[in-house]
Coordinates of all heavy atoms in Angstrom, one line a residue:
M34 N 11.7 -19.9 4.8 CA 12.0 -18.3 4.8 C 13.5 -18.1 5.3 O 13.9 -18.9 6.2 CB 11.1 -17.7 5.8 CG 11.1 -16.3 5.9 SD 10.5 -15.5 4.6 CE 10.7 -13.8 5.0
P35 N 14.2 -17.3 4.6 CA 15.5 -17.0 5.0 C 15.4 -16.5 6.6 O 14.5 -15.9 6.9 CB 16.0 -15.9 4.1 CG 15.0 -15.7 3.1 CD 13.8 -16.6 3.5
E36 N 16.5 -16.8 7.2 CA 16.6 -16.4 8.6 C 16.7 -14.9 8.8 O 16.0 -14.4 9.8 CB 17.6 -17.1 9.4 CG 17.4 -18.6 9.5 CD 18.4 -19.2 10.4 OE1 19.0 -18.6 11.3 OE2 18.6 -20.4 10.2
R37 N 17.5 -14.2 8.1 CA 17.7 -12.8 8.5 C 17.7 -12.0 7.0 O 18.1 -12.4 6.0 CB 19.1 -12.6 9.0 CG 19.1 -12.8 10.4 CD 20.5 -12.5 11.1 NE 21.4 -12.2 10.1 CZ 22.6 -11.7 10.3 NH1 23.1 -11.4 11.4 NH2 23.4 -11.5 9.3
F38 N 17.2 -10.8 7.1 CA 17.2 -9.9 6.0 C 18.3 -9.1 6.0 O 18.6 -8.3 7.0 CB 15.9 -9.1 6.0 CG 15.8 -7.9 5.1 CD1 16.3 -8.1 3.7 CD2 15.6 -6.7 5.5 CE1 16.2 -7.1 2.9 CE2 15.6 -5.7 4.6 CZ 15.8 -5.8 3.3
D39 N 19.2 -9.2 5.0 CA 20.4 -8.4 4.8 C 20.1 -7.2 3.9 O 19.7 -7.3 2.8 CB 21.5 -9.2 4.2 CG 22.8 -8.5 4.1 OD1 22.8 -7.3 4.3 OD2 23.8 -9.1 3.5
V40 N 20.0 -6.0 4.6 CA 19.6 -4.8 3.7 C 20.5 -4.5 2.6 O 20.1 -4.0 1.6 CB 19.7 -3.6 4.7 CG1 19.2 -2.3 4.0 CG2 18.8 -3.7 6.0
D41 N 21.7 -5.0 2.7 CA 22.6 -4.9 1.5 C 22.4 -5.9 0.5 O 23.0 -5.7 -0.6 CB 24.2 -4.9 2.0 CG 24.5 -3.9 3.0 OD1 24.0 -2.6 2.8 OD2 25.2 -4.0 4.0
N42 N 21.7 -6.9 0.7 CA 21.5 -8.0 -0.2 C 20.1 -8.3 -0.3 O 19.7 -9.6 -0.1 CB 22.4 -9.2 0.1 CG 22.7 -10.0 -1.1 OD1 22.1 -9.9 -2.2 ND2 23.4 -11.1 -0.8
P43 N 19.0 -7.5 -0.7 CA 17.7 -7.9 -0.7 C 17.3 -8.8 -1.8 O 16.3 -9.6 -1.6 CB 16.9 -6.5 -0.9 CG 18.0 -5.6 -1.6 CD 19.3 -6.0 -1.1
D44 N 18.1 -8.8 -2.9 CA 17.7 -9.8 -3.9 C 17.8 -11.2 -3.6 O 16.9 -12.1 -3.8 CB 18.6 -9.5 -5.1 CG 18.6 -8.1 -5.8 OD1 17.8 -7.3 -5.2 OD2 19.2 -7.8 -6.7
S45 N 18.8 -11.5 -2.8 CA 19.1 -12.9 -2.4 C 18.0 -13.4 -1.3 O 17.5 -14.5 -1.3 CB 20.4 -13.0 -1.6 OG 21.5 -12.9 -2.7
Y46 N 17.7 -12.4 -0.4 CA 16.5 -12.6 0.5 C 15.2 -12.9 -0.2 O 14.5 -13.8 0.3 CB 16.4 -11.4 1.4 CG 15.5 -11.5 2.5 CD1 15.8 -12.4 3.6 CD2 14.3 -10.8 2.6 CE1 14.9 -12.5 4.7 CE2 13.5 -11.0 3.8 CZ 13.8 -11.9 4.7 OH 12.8 -11.9 5.9
I47 N 14.9 -12.2 -1.0 CA 13.7 -12.5 -1.8 C 13.7 -13.7 -2.6 O 12.7 -14.4 -2.6 CB 13.2 -11.2 -2.8 CG1 13.0 -9.9 -1.9 CG2 12.2 -11.5 -3.6 CD1 12.7 -8.7 -2.7
A48 N 14.8 -14.0 -3.3 CA 15.0 -15.2 -4.1 C 14.8 -16.4 -3.1 O 14.1 -17.4 -3.5 CB 16.4 -15.3 -4.7
A49 N 15.4 -16.3 -1.8 CA 15.3 -17.4 -0.9 C 13.9 -17.6 -0.4 O 13.4 -18.7 -0.3 CB 16.1 -17.1 0.4
A50 N 13.1 -16.5 -0.4 CA 11.6 -16.6 0.0 C 11.0 -17.3 -1.1 O 10.0 -18.2 -0.8 CB 11.2 -15.2 0.3
F51 N 11.2 -16.9 -2.3 CA 10.6 -17.7 -3.5 C 10.9 -19.1 -3.5 O 10.0 -20.0 -3.9 CB 10.9 -16.9 -4.8 CG 10.0 -15.8 -5.2 CD1 10.3 -14.6 -4.7 CD2 8.9 -16.0 -5.8 CE1 9.4 -13.5 -5.1 CE2 8.0 -15.0 -6.2 CZ 8.3 -13.7 -5.8
A52 N 12.0 -19.4 -3.1 CA 12.5 -20.8 -3.1 C 11.8 -21.6 -2.1 O 11.6 -23.0 -2.3 CB 13.9 -20.9 -2.8
T53 N 11.1 -21.1 -1.1 CA 10.3 -21.7 -0.2 C 9.0 -22.3 -0.8 O 8.4 -23.2 -0.2 CB 10.0 -21.0 1.1 OG1 9.0 -19.8 0.7 CG2 11.3 -20.5 1.8
D54 N 8.5 -21.7 -1.9 CA 7.3 -21.9 -2.5 C 6.0 -21.8 -1.5 O 5.0 -22.2 -1.7 CB 7.0 -23.5 -2.9 CG 8.0 -23.8 -4.1 OD1 8.3 -22.9 -4.9 OD2 8.5 -24.9 -4.3
D55 N 6.2 -20.8 -0.5 CA 5.3 -20.4 0.5 C 4.8 -19.0 0.2 O 5.7 -18.0 0.3 CB 5.9 -20.6 1.8 CG 4.8 -20.2 3.0 OD1 3.6 -20.5 2.8 OD2 5.4 -19.5 3.9
P56 N 3.6 -18.8 -0.2 CA 3.1 -17.5 -0.6 C 3.3 -16.5 0.6 O 3.6 -15.3 0.3 CB 1.7 -17.8 -0.9 CG 1.6 -19.1 -1.4 CD 2.6 -19.8 -0.5
A57 N 3.0 -16.9 1.9 CA 3.1 -16.1 2.9 C 4.5 -15.6 3.1 O 4.9 -14.4 3.5 CB 2.6 -16.7 4.2
S58 N 5.6 -16.5 3.0 CA 6.9 -16.1 3.1 C 7.3 -15.1 2.0 O 8.1 -14.3 2.3 CB 7.8 -17.3 3.1 OG 7.6 -18.3 4.2
I59 N 6.9 -15.5 0.8 CA 7.2 -14.4 -0.3 C 6.6 -13.1 0.0 O 7.3 -12.1 0.0 CB 6.5 -15.0 -1.6 CG1 7.3 -16.3 -1.9 CG2 6.7 -14.0 -2.7 CD1 6.6 -17.2 -3.1
A60 N 5.4 -12.9 0.5 CA 4.7 -11.6 0.7 C 5.5 -11.1 1.9 O 5.7 -9.8 1.9 CB 3.2 -11.9 1.0
R61 N 5.8 -11.7 2.9 CA 6.5 -11.2 4.0 C 7.8 -10.7 3.7 O 8.3 -9.6 4.0 CB 6.7 -12.3 5.1 CG 7.0 -11.7 6.4 CD 7.0 -12.7 7.6 NE 5.9 -13.5 7.7 CZ 5.7 -14.8 7.4 NH1 6.7 -15.5 6.9 NH2 4.6 -15.4 7.4
A62 N 8.6 -11.4 2.9 CA 9.9 -11.0 2.5 C 9.9 -9.7 1.6 O 10.6 -8.7 1.7 CB 10.7 -12.1 1.6
L63 N 8.8 -9.6 0.6 CA 8.7 -8.5 -0.1 C 8.3 -7.3 0.8 O 8.8 -6.2 0.7 CB 7.7 -8.7 -1.3 CG 7.9 -9.6 -2.3 CD1 6.6 -9.9 -3.2 CD2 9.0 -8.9 -3.3
G64 N 7.6 -7.5 1.7 CA 7.1 -6.6 2.7 C 8.3 -6.0 3.4 O 8.4 -4.7 3.7
E65 N 9.2 -6.9 4.0 CA 10.3 -6.5 4.7 C 11.2 -5.6 3.9 O 11.7 -4.7 4.4 CB 11.1 -7.6 5.2 CG 10.4 -8.3 6.4 CD 11.1 -9.6 7.0 OE1 12.3 -9.6 7.0 OE2 10.4 -10.5 7.4
V66 N 11.4 -6.0 2.7 CA 12.3 -5.3 1.8 C 11.6 -3.8 1.4 O 12.3 -2.8 1.4 CB 12.6 -6.0 0.5 CG1 13.3 -5.1 -0.6 CG2 13.5 -7.2 0.7
A67 N 10.4 -3.9 1.1 CA 9.6 -2.6 0.8 C 9.6 -1.6 2.0 O 9.7 -0.4 1.7 CB 8.2 -3.1 0.6
R68 N 9.6 -2.1 3.1 CA 9.6 -1.3 4.4 C 11.0 -0.5 4.5 O 11.2 0.5 5.1 CB 9.3 -2.0 5.6 CG 7.7 -2.2 5.7 CD 7.4 -2.7 7.1 NE 7.7 -4.2 7.3 CZ 6.9 -5.1 6.7 NH1 5.9 -4.9 6.0 NH2 7.3 -6.4 6.9
T69 N 12.1 -1.0 3.7 CA 13.4 -0.4 3.9 C 13.4 0.7 2.9 O 14.4 1.5 2.8 CB 14.6 -1.4 3.6 OG1 14.5 -1.8 2.2 CG2 14.5 -2.5 4.7
R70 N 12.5 0.8 1.9 CA 12.4 1.8 0.8 C 11.2 2.8 1.3 O 10.7 2.7 2.4 CB 11.9 1.1 -0.4 CG 12.8 -0.1 -0.7 CD 14.1 0.2 -1.4 NE 14.9 -1.0 -1.6 CZ 14.9 -1.8 -2.8 NH1 14.3 -1.4 -3.6 NH2 15.8 -2.8 -2.7
N71 N 10.9 3.6 0.4 CA 9.8 4.6 0.6 C 8.5 3.9 0.4 O 8.1 3.8 -0.7 CB 10.1 5.8 -0.3 CG 9.1 6.9 -0.1 OD1 7.9 6.7 0.4 ND2 9.4 8.1 -0.3
M72 N 7.7 3.4 1.5 CA 6.6 2.7 1.3 C 5.5 3.5 0.6 O 4.7 3.0 -0.2 CB 6.1 2.2 2.7 CG 5.1 1.1 2.6 SD 5.7 -0.3 1.9 CE 4.9 -1.6 2.8
S73 N 5.4 4.8 0.8 CA 4.4 5.6 0.2 C 4.6 5.7 -1.3 O 3.6 5.6 -2.0 CB 4.4 7.0 0.8 OG 4.1 7.0 2.2
K74 N 5.9 5.9 -1.8 CA 6.1 5.9 -3.2 C 5.9 4.6 -3.8 O 5.3 4.5 -4.8 CB 7.6 6.4 -3.4 CG 7.9 6.5 -4.9 CD 9.3 6.8 -5.1 CE 9.8 6.9 -6.7 NZ 9.1 6.0 -7.5
L75 N 6.2 3.5 -3.1 CA 6.0 2.2 -3.6 C 4.6 2.0 -3.8 O 4.1 1.4 -4.8 CB 6.7 1.0 -2.6 CG 6.5 -0.4 -3.1 CD1 7.5 -0.5 -4.3 CD2 6.9 -1.3 -2.0
A76 N 3.7 2.3 -2.8 CA 2.4 2.1 -2.8 C 1.7 2.9 -4.1 O 0.9 2.3 -4.8 CB 1.7 2.7 -1.6
K77 N 2.2 4.1 -4.3 CA 1.8 4.8 -5.4 C 2.2 4.2 -6.8 O 1.4 4.0 -7.6 CB 2.5 6.3 -5.4 CG 2.0 7.1 -6.4 CD 2.5 8.5 -6.4 CE 2.1 9.4 -7.5 NZ 2.7 10.7 -7.5
D78 N 3.4 3.6 -6.9 CA 3.8 3.1 -8.0 C 3.1 1.6 -8.3 O 2.8 1.3 -9.3 CB 5.4 2.6 -7.8 CG 6.4 3.7 -7.8 OD1 5.8 4.8 -8.2 OD2 7.5 3.6 -7.5
V79 N 2.7 1.0 -7.2 CA 1.8 -0.1 -7.3 C 0.4 0.1 -7.6 O -0.4 -0.8 -8.0 CB 2.0 -1.1 -6.1 CG1 1.1 -2.3 -6.0 CG2 3.5 -1.5 -6.0
G80 N 0.0 1.3 -7.2 CA -1.5 1.7 -7.5 C -2.4 1.3 -6.2 O -3.6 0.9 -6.5
M81 N -1.8 1.3 -5.1 CA -2.6 1.0 -3.8 C -2.3 1.9 -2.8 O -1.4 2.7 -2.9 CB -2.1 -0.5 -3.3 CG -2.2 -1.6 -4.2 SD -1.5 -3.1 -3.5 CE -2.7 -3.5 -2.2
N82 N -3.3 2.0 -1.8 CA -2.9 2.9 -0.8 C -1.9 2.2 0.2 O -1.8 1.0 0.1 CB -4.2 3.4 0.0 CG -4.9 2.3 0.7 OD1 -4.3 1.5 1.6 ND2 -6.3 2.2 0.5
R83 N -1.2 3.0 1.0 CA -0.2 2.4 1.9 C -0.7 1.4 2.7 O 0.0 0.4 2.9 CB 0.3 3.7 2.7 CG 1.8 3.5 3.0 CD 2.4 4.8 3.5 NE 3.3 4.5 4.6 CZ 3.0 4.8 5.9 NH1 2.1 5.6 6.2 NH2 3.9 4.6 6.8
S84 N -1.7 1.6 3.5 CA -2.2 0.6 4.5 C -2.7 -0.7 3.8 O -2.3 -1.8 4.3 CB -3.3 1.2 5.3 OG -4.4 1.6 4.5
A85 N -3.2 -0.7 2.7 CA -3.5 -1.9 1.8 C -2.2 -2.7 1.5 O -2.3 -3.9 1.5 CB -4.4 -1.6 0.7
L86 N -1.2 -1.9 1.0 CA 0.0 -2.6 0.8 C 0.7 -3.2 1.8 O 1.2 -4.3 1.9 CB 0.9 -1.6 0.0 CG 2.2 -2.1 -0.6 CD1 1.9 -3.3 -1.6 CD2 3.1 -1.0 -1.2
Y87 N 0.7 -2.5 3.0 CA 1.3 -3.1 4.2 C 0.5 -4.4 4.6 O 1.1 -5.4 5.0 CB 1.0 -2.2 5.5 CG 2.2 -1.3 5.7 CD1 2.1 0.2 5.4 CD2 3.4 -1.6 6.2 CE1 3.0 1.0 5.7 CE2 4.5 -0.7 6.3 CZ 4.3 0.5 6.1 OH 5.4 1.4 6.4
R88 N -0.8 -4.4 4.6 CA -1.6 -5.5 4.8 C -1.2 -6.6 3.9 O -1.2 -7.9 4.1 CB -3.1 -5.3 4.8 CG -3.6 -4.8 6.1 CD -5.1 -4.8 6.0 NE -5.8 -4.1 5.0 CZ -6.0 -2.8 4.8 NH1 -5.7 -2.0 5.7 NH2 -6.6 -2.4 3.7
A89 N -1.2 -6.4 2.6 CA -0.9 -7.4 1.6 C 0.4 -8.1 1.7 O 0.5 -9.2 1.4 CB -1.1 -6.8 0.0
L90 N 1.3 -7.2 2.2 CA 2.7 -7.8 2.3 C 3.1 -8.2 3.9 O 4.3 -8.4 4.1 CB 3.7 -6.8 1.8 CG 3.5 -6.4 0.3 CD1 4.5 -5.4 0.0 CD2 3.7 -7.5 -0.6
S91 N 2.0 -8.3 4.5 CA 2.4 -8.8 5.9 C 2.7 -10.1 6.1 O 3.3 -10.6 7.2 CB 1.1 -8.3 6.9 OG 0.0 -9.3 6.5
G92 N 2.3 -11.1 5.2 CA 2.5 -12.5 5.5 C 1.3 -13.2 5.9 O 0.9 -14.3 5.7
D93 N 0.4 -12.2 6.5 CA -1.0 -12.7 6.8 C -2.0 -12.3 5.8 O -3.1 -12.8 5.8 CB -1.4 -12.0 8.2 CG -0.7 -12.5 9.3 OD1 -0.2 -13.7 9.3 OD2 -0.3 -11.6 10.1
G94 N -1.5 -11.4 4.8 CA -2.5 -10.9 3.7 C -2.6 -12.1 2.6 O -1.8 -13.0 2.7
N95 N -3.4 -11.9 1.7 CA -3.4 -12.8 0.6 C -3.5 -11.9 -0.8 O -4.5 -11.7 -1.4 CB -4.7 -13.6 0.6 CG -4.8 -14.7 -0.4 OD1 -3.8 -15.1 -0.9 ND2 -6.0 -15.1 -0.7
P96 N -2.2 -11.3 -1.1 CA -2.2 -10.5 -2.2 C -2.4 -11.2 -3.6 O -2.2 -12.4 -3.7 CB -0.7 -9.8 -2.2 CG 0.0 -11.0 -1.5 CD -0.9 -11.6 -0.6
E97 N -3.0 -10.5 -4.4 CA -3.2 -11.1 -5.9 C -1.9 -11.2 -6.5 O -0.9 -10.4 -6.2 CB -4.0 -10.2 -6.7 CG -5.5 -10.1 -6.1 CD -6.4 -9.2 -7.1 OE1 -6.0 -8.8 -8.1 OE2 -7.5 -9.0 -6.7
F98 N -1.7 -12.0 -7.4 CA -0.5 -12.3 -8.2 C -0.1 -11.1 -8.9 O 1.2 -10.6 -8.9 CB -0.5 -13.5 -9.1 CG 0.7 -13.8 -9.7 CD1 1.8 -14.3 -9.0 CD2 0.9 -13.6 -11.1 CE1 3.1 -14.6 -9.6 CE2 2.1 -14.0 -11.7 CZ 3.2 -14.4 -11.0
A99 N -1.0 -10.3 -9.4 CA -0.7 -9.0 -10.0 C -0.1 -8.0 -9.1 O 0.7 -7.3 -9.4 CB -2.0 -8.4 -10.6
T100 N -0.4 -8.1 -7.8 CA 0.1 -7.1 -6.8 C 1.5 -7.5 -6.5 O 2.4 -6.7 -6.4 CB -0.7 -7.2 -5.5 OG1 -2.0 -6.8 -5.7 CG2 0.0 -6.3 -4.4
I101 N 1.8 -8.8 -6.5 CA 3.1 -9.4 -6.2 C 4.0 -8.9 -7.3 O 5.2 -8.4 -7.2 CB 3.2 -10.9 -6.2 CG1 2.5 -11.3 -4.8 CG2 4.7 -11.5 -6.1 CD1 3.0 -10.9 -3.5
L102 N 3.5 -9.1 -8.7 CA 4.3 -8.7 -9.8 C 4.7 -7.1 -9.8 O 5.7 -6.7 -10.2 CB 3.6 -9.0 -11.1 CG 3.5 -10.5 -11.5 CD1 2.7 -10.7 -12.7 CD2 4.9 -11.1 -11.6
K103 N 3.6 -6.4 -9.4 CA 3.8 -5.0 -9.4 C 4.8 -4.4 -8.4 O 5.6 -3.6 -8.6 CB 2.5 -4.2 -9.1 CG 1.6 -4.3 -10.3 CD 0.2 -3.6 -9.9 CE -0.8 -3.7 -11.0 NZ -2.2 -3.2 -10.5
V104 N 4.8 -5.1 -7.2 CA 5.7 -4.8 -6.1 C 7.1 -5.2 -6.5 O 8.1 -4.5 -6.3 CB 5.3 -5.6 -4.8 CG1 6.5 -5.5 -3.7 CG2 4.0 -4.9 -4.2
V105 N 7.3 -6.6 -7.1 CA 8.6 -6.9 -7.5 C 9.1 -6.0 -8.6 O 10.3 -5.5 -8.5 CB 8.5 -8.4 -8.2 CG1 9.7 -8.8 -8.9 CG2 8.3 -9.4 -7.1
R106 N 8.3 -5.5 -9.5 CA 8.7 -4.5 -10.5 C 9.2 -3.2 -9.9 O 10.2 -2.6 -10.2 CB 7.7 -4.4 -11.6 CG 8.1 -4.2 -13.1 CD 7.1 -4.1 -14.0 NE 6.6 -5.5 -14.1 CZ 5.1 -5.7 -14.1 NH1 4.3 -4.7 -13.8 NH2 4.7 -6.9 -14.1
A107 N 8.3 -2.7 -8.9 CA 8.6 -1.4 -8.2 C 9.8 -1.5 -7.4 O 10.6 -0.5 -7.2 CB 7.4 -1.1 -7.3
L108 N 10.2 -2.6 -7.0 CA 11.5 -2.8 -6.2 C 12.6 -2.9 -7.2 O 13.9 -3.2 -6.7 CB 11.4 -4.2 -5.4 CG 10.4 -3.9 -4.1 CD1 10.3 -5.3 -3.4 CD2 10.9 -2.8 -3.2
G109 N 12.4 -3.1 -8.4 CA 13.5 -3.0 -9.5 C 13.9 -4.4 -9.8 O 15.2 -4.7 -10.2
L110 N 13.0 -5.4 -9.6 CA 13.3 -6.8 -9.8 C 12.4 -7.3 -10.9 O 11.6 -6.5 -11.3 CB 13.2 -7.6 -8.5 CG 14.0 -7.1 -7.3 CD1 13.5 -7.8 -6.1 CD2 15.5 -7.4 -7.6
K111 N 12.6 -8.5 -11.3 CA 11.8 -9.1 -12.2 C 11.7 -10.6 -11.9 O 12.7 -11.2 -11.4 CB 11.9 -8.8 -13.6 CG 13.3 -9.6 -14.2 CD 13.5 -9.3 -15.6 CE 14.7 -9.9 -16.1 NZ 14.8 -9.8 -17.6
L112 N 10.5 -11.4 -12.2 CA 10.4 -12.8 -11.9 C 10.8 -13.4 -13.4 O 10.4 -13.0 -14.4 CB 9.0 -13.1 -11.7 CG 8.5 -12.7 -10.4 CD1 7.1 -13.1 -10.2 CD2 9.4 -13.1 -9.2
T113 N 11.8 -14.4 -13.2 CA 12.2 -15.2 -14.3 C 12.0 -16.7 -14.1 O 12.7 -17.2 -13.2 CB 13.6 -14.8 -14.6 OG1 13.8 -13.4 -14.8 CG2 14.1 -15.5 -16.0
P114 N 11.1 -17.3 -14.8 CA 10.9 -18.7 -14.6 C 12.1 -19.6 -15.0 O 12.7 -19.1 -16.0 CB 9.7 -19.1 -15.5 CG 9.2 -17.8 -16.1 CD 10.2 -16.8 -15.8
I115 N 12.3 -20.5 -14.2 CA 13.6 -21.4 -14.6 C 12.8 -22.8 -14.3 O 12.0 -23.0 -13.5 CB 14.8 -21.3 -13.8 CG1 14.5 -21.4 -12.3 CG2 15.4 -19.9 -14.0 CD1 15.7 -21.3 -11.4
S116 N 13.5 -23.8 -15.0 CA 13.0 -25.3 -14.9 C 13.3 -25.7 -13.5 O 14.2 -25.4 -12.8 CB 13.8 -26.1 -15.9 OG 13.6 -27.4 -15.6
A117 N 12.4 -26.4 -13.0 CA 12.3 -27.0 -11.6 C 13.4 -28.1 -11.6 O 13.9 -28.3 -10.3 CB 11.1 -27.5 -11.0
A118 N 14.0 -28.6 -12.7 CA 14.9 -29.6 -12.7 C 16.3 -29.0 -12.4 O 17.1 -29.9 -12.1 CB 14.9 -30.4 -14.1
N119 N 16.4 -27.8 -12.5 CA 17.8 -27.2 -12.2 C 18.3 -27.3 -10.8 O 17.7 -26.9 -9.9 CB 17.7 -25.7 -12.6 CG 17.7 -25.5 -14.2 OD1 18.0 -26.6 -14.8 ND2 17.4 -24.4 -14.6

């Protein structure tokens, strides 16, 4: 997990979390970025209630992959697979 979240560079923070291959780190990083945005709007965009989204992105939750994809999309990002050999 990256050490610090830079509000001015959330994309790099999330990318670093994905590089860990740790689902809890990924969820936690998405949650930290989401909390800097309008969480109520994000929850609506994702189709969840706010408290469920907070739990899912706490790092202790176990969000479904579909939820992760929706959150990533709602944050204006997308997942792009690349070869592990890179």
Side-chain angles (χ1 to χ4, degrees):
M34 181 77 182
E36 289 186 29
R37 282 186 347 174
F38 168 50
D39 179 1
V40 180
D41 296 324
N42 200 1
D44 301 0
S45 294
Y46 185 70
I47 291 171
F51 272 90
T53 67
D54 292 328
D55 176 42
S58 293
I59 294 166
R61 192 175 310 109
L63 288 171
E65 288 180 32
V66 172
R68 282 187 287 282
T69 68
R70 314 279 173 95
N71 183 335
M72 194 66 138
S73 294
K74 181 183 180 325
L75 184 69
K77 183 178 178 182
D78 292 346
V79 171
M81 296 176 73
N82 69 50
R83 202 169 146 247
S84 62
L86 186 57
Y87 269 112
R88 274 193 309 275
L90 301 179
S91 70
D93 295 324
N95 188 19
E97 293 182 7
F98 187 65
T100 300
I101 295 295
L102 289 177
K103 289 176 187 177
V104 169
V105 167
R106 215 172 294 125
L108 290 173
L110 303 170
K111 68 178 184 175
L112 294 181
T113 305
I115 59 170
S116 172
N119 289 341

